[in-house]
């Protein structure tokens, strides 16, 4: 074992962790005794230590145990008793190749020989990954000498070991020796820096945390061999920003990468975030030989509720009108140094004294965190003119351990109540009174007075009616006394369930503005017997012979019990014929039967008076008349048709007269229809007696000449007519011309009036004539060519060139205004006067 302590190895001693081996002072490893090793491999740990510096160094030694003794790179014979050969075998110990070797290449690793190479020519070859399998030709072997080479630098991080097989054959390819296994290990070099999994790590720690509180873990990986110092990573903190309150607020476990607090004093209100640069170094953290890399750890100091909310002032004041709710009276401002809009900052307000009735509450403004003192239950100036509230503020989250509430977490709020004009009110609303109907006009019913809650205002209350459907009541405007203005009738349509309702208004004379209140008075009317019963039905029908049918009668009474039934029905004694012809039989308290007393009564209509008496106290009666139709009946007791007519009071003569009138009326209608049809037929067949030329109904009058008026009789109208010849026009220089010429073509066929007229002929004749005129190309107006540069030849009308514009202003054009709307534009141009 070779060792160099850079001091000449003076005094260095070697030790092993096995009693079966020992190391000499020159590093030679020896077996201390005869060994029987059961395995093919043995690993020892050799330690070199300096007694002067107490420094120690360790190295791992791997021994491969073979079944036969061997010399390096040579496979000798093993001879027993020096007389006979034993079975041959070859074993090669593992080959260690350092990675990243600079060469030169190929570089020899080992030589393989067979003890038969003196007898025959042997060819050596290797197979396996790195030889004849990808990656190809990393290793090769001289087939004659058996020297094996590596052809290029090795990378342990790419492949840490290779397993090859060496072969020995003769010139004919026959196997001379059994294949031997070759194990090639790539020795790691420190050629890789530690790499952090993340370049930036984020962690957090509560403010006020004690030293030793875990924060986060950073991890770096080294691609080198982790069993050697090349891959053993150690961590350390390089810098901390800011360095407040101490430059070493955190420490890191050099082996695990755990970051923990090392000092007290974390305060989010002072430092909210730390940036820590962490360095990872291999070679067990040796900064002289190891490779390093850095990462950033961002440590956020999280808020805890270590600052109680405090009012900015000790007293607040506000004012509220009475009888108002949901009004913000005062805004309470607080200060909290914890993180805004977090449970540690959000304020909760509580009234702890001064409001036993719960008139106020304090709500939190979610944006400003202010407390809004709000009225939730109306206050009364006459009861409380002012309130002295004590309000306490706290956070949603409880205070951190060891933190006490501040004296400034409590404040006083003074609220003044202002008086407003309140409406008078009726203490009993709705007020119910009971009395009998029919009380005389002017009777005092009750006093319906209101109370003005404004005790500290000298105000008068005035009363008036707001609703009195039947106009039965009066109210005294000053004291609210209710009297009757008419007789109260329970049977009126204004009464609902025996109750009459009226609404009254009470108004004070306050200012800004006067206030008023309403009250409802309900009058329950007790019934009295003031309505006589009425007989039902009013009309009935009965057969002229008795015992065939009867008439059921009853009575209706507008009153209620006990002023209604049972009823008493009886016939009057006058006239005597009533009791002679009719009789009444009582059925029960409300019904009776009217029937004939005599055996036969002539058909007709009879008015039968009946006296009906109720059971009131005192009782009322009424004589009602029922119209009874007496008629002949069939075997079923039903009136016959003739009998019904006879019962209506018509005799046989009257019936015959009615039938004759009906027949005459039908005959007249028939004759009128026949006459109308005959007249219609004559209209179609009879020729008109007047001459068709004189019949103006189907003639179109032609007015082809219209003489001039009185003012234009001296003009020669021939100048406006078309010239006889067109030569002077056609010979004119080409330009815009107007030629009115009647086209030459076939004359259209205009309709001829029929000889025998018909009411529809006039319309057809006019429509056909209109259609013919529309299709007549010879009818004016004609298609014209406009000629603006030709004024005619030899015109007797003279030239119109003298109608040029005049700038002298002597001519008066005001008469143009009298010519109508068509000359309005011309009048505006020339009739303006001097100012235009």
């Amino acid at each position: 074992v070779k060792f160099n302590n850079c001091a000449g190895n003076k005094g260095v001693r070697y030790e092993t962790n096995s009693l079966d081996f020992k190391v000499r002072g020159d590093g030679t490893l020896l077996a201390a005794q005869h060994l029987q090793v059961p395995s093919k491999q043995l690993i020892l740990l050799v330690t070199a230590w300096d007694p002067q510096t107490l420094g120690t160094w360790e190295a791992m030694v791997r021994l491969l145990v073979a079944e036969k003794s061997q010399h390096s790179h040579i496979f000798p014979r093993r001879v027993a008793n020096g007389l006979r050969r034993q079975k041959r075998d070859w074993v090669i110990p593992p080959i260690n190749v350092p990675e990243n070797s600079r060469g030169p290449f190929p570089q020899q690793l080992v030589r393989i020989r067979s003890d038969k190479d003196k007898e025959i020519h042997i060819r050596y070859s290797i197979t396996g990954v790195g030889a004849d399998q990808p990656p190809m030709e990393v290793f090769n072997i001289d087939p004659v000498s058996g020297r094996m080479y590596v052809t290029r630098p090795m990378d342990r991080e790419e492949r840490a070991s290779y397993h090859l097989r060496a072969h020995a054959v003769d010139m004919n390819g026959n196997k001379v020796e059994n294949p031997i296994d070759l194990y090639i290990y790539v020795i790691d070099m420190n050629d890789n820096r530690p790499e952090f999994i993340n370049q930036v790590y984020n962690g957090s720690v509560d403010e006020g945390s004690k030293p030793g509180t875990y924060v986060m873990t950073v991890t770096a990986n080294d691609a080198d061999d982790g069993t050697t110092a090349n891959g053993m990573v150690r961590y350390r903190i390089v810098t901390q920003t800011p360095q407040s309150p101490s430059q070493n607020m955190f420490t890191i476990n050099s082996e695990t990468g755990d970051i923990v607090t090392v000092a007290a004093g974390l305060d989010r209100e002072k430092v909210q975030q730390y940036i820590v640069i962490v360095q990872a170094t291999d070679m067990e953290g040796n900064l002289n030989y190891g490779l390093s890399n850095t990462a950033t750890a961002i440590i956020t100091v999280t808020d805890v509720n270590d600052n109680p909310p405090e009012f900015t002032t000790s007293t607040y004041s506000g004012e509220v009108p009475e009888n108002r709710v949901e009004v913000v009276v005062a805004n309470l401002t607080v200060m909290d140094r914890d993180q805004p809009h977090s449970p540690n900052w959000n304020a909760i307000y509580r009234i702890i004294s001064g409001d036993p009735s719960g008139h106020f509450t304090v709500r939190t403004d979610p944006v400003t965190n202010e407390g809004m003192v709000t009225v939730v239950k109306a206050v009364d100036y006459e009861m409380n003119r002012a309130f002295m509230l004590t309000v306490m503020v706290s956070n949603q989250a409880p205070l951190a351990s060891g933190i006490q509430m501040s004296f400034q977490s409590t404040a006083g709020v003074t609220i003044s109540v202002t008086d407003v004009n309140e409406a008078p009110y009726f203490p009993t609303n709705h007020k119910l009174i009971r009395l009998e109907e029919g009380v005389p006009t002017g009777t005092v019913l009750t006093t319906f007075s209101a109370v003005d809650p404004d005790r500290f205002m000298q105000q008068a209350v005035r009363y008036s009616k707001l609703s009195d459907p039947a106009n039965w009541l009066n109210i005294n405007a000053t004291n609210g006394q209710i009297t009757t203005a008419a007789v109260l009738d329970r049977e009126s349509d204004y009464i609902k369930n025996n109750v009459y309702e009226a609404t009254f208004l009470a108004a004070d004379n306050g200012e800004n503005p006067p206030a008023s209140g309403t009250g409802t008075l309900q009058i329950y009317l007790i019934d009295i017997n003031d309505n006589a019963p009425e007989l039902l039905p009013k009309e009935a029908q009965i057969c002229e012979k008795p015992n065939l049918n009867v008439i059921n009668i009853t009575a209706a009474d507008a009153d209620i019990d006990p002023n209604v039934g049972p009823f008493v029905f009886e016939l009057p004694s006058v006239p005597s014929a009533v009791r002679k012809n009719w009789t009444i039989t009582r059925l029960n308290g409300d019904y009776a039967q009217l029937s004939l007393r005599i055996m036969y009564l002539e058909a007709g209509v009879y008015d039968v008076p009946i006296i009906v008496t109720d059971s009131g106290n005192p009782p009322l009666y009424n004589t009602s008349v029922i119209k009874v139709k007496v008629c002949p009946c069939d075997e079923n007791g039903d009136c016959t048709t003739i009998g019904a007519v006879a019962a209506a009071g018509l005799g046989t003569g009257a019936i015959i007269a009615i039938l004759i009138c009906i027949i005459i009326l039908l005959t007249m209608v028939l004759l009128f229809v026949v006459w109308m049809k005959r007249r219609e037929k004559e209209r179609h067949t009879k020729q008109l007696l007047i001459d068709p030329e004189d019949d103006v109904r189907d003639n179109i009058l032609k007015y082809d000449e219209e003489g001039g008026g009185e003012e234009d009789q001296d003009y020669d109208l021939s100048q406006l007519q078309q010239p006889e010849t067109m030569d002077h026009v056609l010979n004119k220089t080409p330009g815009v011309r107007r030629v009115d010429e009647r086209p030459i073509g076939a004359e259209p066929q205009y309709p001829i009036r029929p000889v025998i007229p018909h009411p529809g002929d006039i319309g057809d004749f006019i429509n056909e004539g209109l259609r013919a005129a529309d299709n007549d190309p010879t009818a004016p107006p004609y298609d014209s060519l406009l000629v603006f540069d030709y004024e005619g030849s030899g015109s007797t009308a003279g030239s119109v060139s003298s109608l040029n514009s005049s700038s002298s202003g002597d001519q008066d054009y005001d008469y143009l205004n009298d010519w109508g709307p068509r000359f309005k534009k011309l009048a505006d141009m020339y009739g303006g006067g001097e100012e235009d």
Side-chain angles (χ1 to χ4, degrees):
V1 179
K2 294 183 179 180
F3 172 74
N4 184 5
N5 66 349
C6 301
N9 297 344
K10 295 180 178 180
V12 176
R13 301 179 181 179
Y14 298 95
E15 295 179 354
T16 67
N17 61 345
S18 176
L19 298 178
D20 296 331
F21 298 90
K22 62 180 180 179
V23 185
R24 294 178 180 175
D26 59 356
T28 303
L29 181 65
L30 301 175
Q33 56 188 352
H34 181 75
L35 299 179
Q36 196 73 25
V37 182
S39 62
K40 293 185 177 181
Q41 178 174 298
L42 187 64
I43 298 177
L44 301 178
L45 186 64
V46 178
T47 303
W49 64 281
D50 189 345
Q52 297 179 356
T53 62
L54 299 180
T56 58
W57 297 266
E58 293 179 349
M60 185 177 62
V61 178
R62 182 186 294 110
L63 300 179
L64 297 180
V65 181
E67 294 182 0
K68 296 183 179 181
S69 60
Q70 60 185 27
H71 297 283
S72 178
H73 313 308
I74 299 175
F75 302 93
R77 305 186 185 101
R78 167 178 282 183
V79 180
N81 300 325
L83 296 178
R84 59 182 183 143
R85 293 170 56 92
Q86 299 293 325
K87 179 181 178 182
R88 300 179 181 88
D89 197 1
W90 53 344
V91 177
I92 299 298
I95 305 170
N96 295 324
V97 180
E99 66 172 335
N100 302 324
S101 176
R102 298 184 179 180
F105 297 99
Q107 183 179 6
Q108 181 177 338
L109 297 180
V110 69
R111 181 181 179 185
I112 302 173
R113 287 187 59 190
S114 174
D115 55 358
K116 293 184 178 181
D117 59 353
K118 295 181 180 180
E119 301 173 0
I120 58 175
H121 294 286
I122 296 178
R123 293 290 183 266
Y124 301 98
S125 63
I126 57 175
T127 59
V129 176
D132 59 348
Q133 299 177 19
M136 306 283 286
E137 298 181 353
V138 177
F139 304 97
N140 60 23
I141 191 171
D142 188 331
V144 177
S145 64
R147 290 183 175 87
M148 190 175 73
Y149 301 90
V150 58
T151 61
R152 60 189 182 192
M154 310 293 288
D155 187 356
R156 193 202 67 85
E157 287 71 42
E158 180 179 347
R159 192 175 186 89
S161 64
Y162 295 86
H163 179 201
L164 304 178
R165 304 199 76 181
H167 305 271
V169 297
D170 58 12
M171 299 302 292
N172 296 325
N174 298 319
K175 182 174 66 173
V176 176
E177 299 282 0
N178 293 326
I180 184 174
D181 292 326
L182 299 177
Y183 293 93
I184 302 172
Y185 295 98
V186 181
I187 301 175
D188 182 47
M189 304 294 289
N190 190 19
D191 58 344
N192 291 279
R193 293 180 180 274
E195 295 291 339
F196 283 95
I197 297 177
N198 300 312
Q199 195 59 36
V200 177
Y201 290 84
N202 290 284
S204 62
V205 62
D206 291 340
E207 62 176 331
S209 296
K210 297 179 180 180
T213 303
Y214 172 81
V215 180
M216 68 169 70
T217 299
V218 297
T219 304
N221 297 324
D222 197 316
D224 292 325
D225 189 358
T227 62
T228 66
N230 298 334
M232 295 181 180
V233 180
R234 298 295 183 265
Y235 304 92
R236 73 185 188 95
I237 293 178
V238 180
T239 60
Q240 168 195 306
T241 305
Q243 298 181 357
S244 173
S246 172
Q247 62 181 358
N248 295 318
M249 295 297 297
F250 306 95
T251 186
I252 188 170
N253 188 304
S254 61
E255 295 184 0
T256 62
D258 294 341
I259 299 178
V260 297
T261 59
V262 71
L266 290 173
D267 190 351
R268 190 204 65 85
E269 286 71 39
K270 295 180 179 179
V271 179
Q272 299 183 3
Q273 190 179 79
Y274 290 91
I275 298 178
V276 176
I277 305 300
V278 179
Q279 184 183 59
T281 306
D282 57 16
M283 297 300 292
E284 299 182 281
N286 191 320
L287 299 178
N288 295 325
Y289 303 104
L291 302 177
S292 301
N293 214 335
T294 60
T296 301
I298 300 177
I299 302 174
T300 302
V301 181
T302 57
D303 184 47
V304 297
N305 195 12
D306 57 345
N307 293 282
E310 298 177 349
F311 286 103
T312 56
T313 182
S314 59
T315 58
Y316 297 87
S317 61
E319 186 178 80
V320 60
E322 63 174 335
N323 301 324
R324 295 280 300 277
V325 293
E326 297 301 326
V327 177
V328 177
V329 180
N331 288 331
L332 312 180
T333 56
V334 297
M335 180 183 63
D336 196 323
R337 293 187 297 273
D338 290 320
Q339 185 176 358
H341 304 290
S342 68
N344 300 329
W345 180 81
N346 295 333
I348 297 177
Y349 299 87
R350 183 166 55 94
I351 299 175
I352 59 178
S353 65
D355 185 23
S357 301
H359 291 283
F360 304 94
T361 187
V362 184
R363 298 167 180 166
T364 304
D365 189 321
V367 177
T368 63
N369 213 28
E370 294 181 354
M372 300 178 293
V373 182
T374 308
V375 182
V376 295
K377 182 179 178 181
V379 295
D380 190 356
Y381 175 81
E382 286 71 29
M383 297 295 294
N384 299 96
R385 299 188 183 185
F387 292 87
M388 298 293 294
L389 308 180
T390 302
V391 181
M392 176 181 289
V393 63
S394 58
N395 293 125
Q396 287 182 352
L399 291 174
S401 177
I403 305 299
Q404 300 295 328
M405 289 294 294
S406 172
F407 176 75
Q408 296 178 346
S409 297
T410 303
V413 182
T414 302
I415 300 175
S416 300
V417 182
T418 59
D419 192 16
V420 297
N421 186 21
E422 298 177 81
Y425 68 94
F426 292 88
T428 55
N429 192 17
H430 302 11
K431 183 176 182 179
L432 178 65
I433 61 174
R434 300 171 63 92
L435 72 154
E436 289 186 348
E437 64 173 330
V439 295
T441 303
T443 302
V444 177
L445 302 183
T446 185
T447 299
F448 197 27
S449 59
V451 177
D452 192 349
D454 296 316
R455 294 180 297 171
F456 301 99
M457 296 182 182
Q458 301 300 325
Q459 298 179 149
V461 178
R462 305 284 295 179
Y463 301 92
S464 61
K465 287 196 302 183
L466 190 63
S467 173
D468 183 10
N471 201 22
W472 284 345
L473 305 175
N474 288 327
I475 186 169
N476 189 293
T478 56
N479 59 15
Q481 188 179 69
I482 306 294
T483 58
T484 59
V487 176
L488 278 62
D489 186 6
R490 192 201 64 83
E491 290 75 33
S492 171
D493 294 336
Y494 298 104
I495 302 297
K496 304 297 181 184
N497 298 324
N498 303 326
V499 175
Y500 179 74
E501 280 193 1
T503 305
F504 299 93
L505 182 71
D508 60 22
N509 59 349
E511 298 179 357
N512 298 323
S516 61
T518 61
T520 301
L521 177 66
Q522 293 180 328
I523 303 174
Y524 185 89
L525 294 177
I526 302 173
D527 184 46
I528 63 174
N529 193 19
D530 57 346
N531 292 278
E534 292 288 338
L535 183 67
L536 294 177
K538 299 296 184 181
E539 295 181 356
Q541 184 175 278
I542 194 172
C543 294
E544 60 186 1
K545 294 183 180 181
N547 301 326
L548 290 179
N549 54 11
V550 296
I551 300 173
N552 292 326
I553 58 176
T554 185
D557 197 325
D559 294 322
I560 60 175
D561 191 69
N563 297 319
V564 288
F567 300 103
V568 176
F569 302 92
E570 56 183 347
L571 295 172
S573 58
V574 178
S576 59
V578 175
R579 291 192 175 185
K580 177 181 179 181
N581 297 333
W582 306 92
T583 182
I584 293 179
T585 304
R586 181 181 178 89
L587 295 179
N588 54 37
D590 295 330
Y591 290 91
Q593 288 183 343
L594 175 66
S595 61
L596 288 173
R597 178 185 292 272
I598 61 179
M599 297 302 297
Y600 173 79
L601 186 63
E602 184 181 356
V605 178
Y606 297 87
D607 292 335
V608 180
I610 298 177
I611 300 173
V612 184
T613 306
D614 61 20
S615 299
N617 186 20
L620 294 180
Y621 67 91
N622 182 29
T623 302
S624 300
V625 176
I626 179 173
K627 289 184 176 296
V628 181
K629 294 181 180 180
V630 180
C631 59
C633 296
D634 54 17
E635 63 275 5
N636 297 323
D638 299 327
C639 284
T640 60
T641 304
I642 298 177
V645 175
L650 298 177
T652 304
I655 295 174
I656 294 174
I658 292 174
L659 293 176
I660 293 174
C661 291
I662 293 174
I663 293 173
I664 293 173
L665 180 62
L666 292 176
T667 303
M668 293 178 63
V669 172
L670 181 61
L671 292 175
F672 179 77
V673 172
V674 172
W675 179 77
M676 288 296 295
K677 289 186 176 181
R678 184 174 181 181
R679 183 181 179 187
E680 183 70 18
K681 184 177 180 181
E682 290 178 355
R683 181 179 299 175
H684 286 285
T685 56
K686 185 177 181 181
Q687 183 178 0
L688 296 176
L689 297 179
I690 61 175
D691 187 6
E693 293 294 335
D694 297 333
D695 188 3
V696 297
R697 291 176 298 173
D698 55 357
N699 283 281
I700 298 178
L701 302 181
K702 294 176 59 179
Y703 299 98
D704 53 355
E705 291 183 343
E706 294 184 0
E710 296 178 356
E711 297 181 359
D712 58 359
Q713 294 296 325
D714 296 336
Y715 292 99
D716 185 5
L717 299 179
S718 64
Q719 302 301 321
L720 301 178
Q721 298 178 357
Q722 178 69 25
E724 295 294 336
T725 63
M726 301 298 295
D727 295 339
H728 58 281
V729 177
L730 300 177
N731 295 332
K732 183 70 177 179
T733 304
V736 181
R737 299 174 297 171
R738 178 185 178 93
V739 179
D740 291 336
E741 182 176 2
R742 179 177 180 179
I744 300 175
E747 292 292 335
Q749 298 296 326
Y750 284 90
I752 301 175
R753 181 175 62 85
V755 179
I756 300 176
H758 185 268
D761 290 346
I762 297 177
D764 296 340
F765 180 78
I766 293 175
N767 292 332
E768 292 177 2
L770 178 61
R771 190 181 305 107
D774 290 340
N775 298 326
D776 185 5
T778 63
Y782 312 130
D783 293 338
S784 302
L785 295 176
L786 303 181
V787 184
F788 296 112
D789 58 351
Y790 174 68
E791 296 182 358
S793 175
S795 174
T796 59
S799 175
V800 295
S801 61
S802 62
L803 297 177
N804 59 347
S805 300
S806 176
S807 60
S808 61
D810 297 336
Q811 190 168 354
D812 186 10
Y813 296 99
D814 291 341
Y815 61 88
L816 295 175
N817 294 319
D818 302 331
W819 287 11
R822 295 192 179 188
F823 293 89
K824 184 178 184 305
K825 184 67 176 179
L826 191 62
D828 293 340
M829 295 174 59
Y830 289 93
E834 294 295 337
E835 59 186 6
D836 293 342

